[in-house]
Amino acid sequence: MDKLRVYSERTGDTLVISLQGSAGISEVDQAEREMLAAVATPAPIVVLDLGTLEYTNSLLVGLMMKVNQAAKASGGKVRIARPTEYVRGVLDAMKVGKVLPIYPDIE
């Protein structure tokens, strides 16, 4: 499995944070720094693109909730896009969809 990589890109009012690879325990701290830094500059819409995330765990799901709180504090809304089948199963088991909307694509 590839190590977790975080990429962020702003397009207009939207910030897309893409997670790629595998979210093992050792990668979550660095991902937290990168993701929270990305939302430090407010954006009305924050998309967590999980289309290339191979593996996740409860720590990364918790981080998604932190990103949501940070974005909401500055008036933004977070949504999840393109989760892989495995990741979608984890999100469903943890009932993430009750807090963050999950979409099949980025649009």
Side-chain angles (χ1 to χ4, degrees):
M1 284 191 251
D2 291 333
K3 287 193 171 196
L4 181 66
R5 289 191 226 41
V6 177
Y7 302 97
S8 61
E9 180 181 352
R10 289 181 185 270
T11 306
D13 289 342
T14 302
L15 168 64
V16 177
I17 300 174
S18 300
L19 303 176
Q20 182 180 54
S22 179
I25 293 171
S26 61
E27 286 88 20
V28 174
D29 287 340
Q30 179 64 30
E32 180 173 6
R33 287 189 290 276
E34 293 177 30
M35 292 171 72
L36 292 178
V39 295
T41 302
I45 300 170
V46 178
V47 177
L48 301 177
D49 178 8
L50 309 183
T52 55
L53 184 63
E54 299 167 8
Y55 173 81
T56 191
N57 57 37
S58 61
L59 294 174
L60 187 62
V61 172
L63 176 54
M64 291 178 201
M65 296 302 137
K66 278 187 180 180
V67 168
N68 183 48
Q69 290 173 336
K72 283 175 86 172
S74 61
K77 294 182 180 182
V78 175
R79 67 182 77 171
I80 293 173
R82 301 185 331 125
T84 61
E85 185 177 338
Y86 169 78
V87 171
R88 179 64 193 244
V90 172
L91 298 176
D92 288 347
M94 297 183 76
K95 304 202 184 315
V96 172
K98 290 186 175 197
V99 178
L100 299 174
I102 302 172
Y103 295 92
D105 54 41
I106 293 179
E107 301 302 317

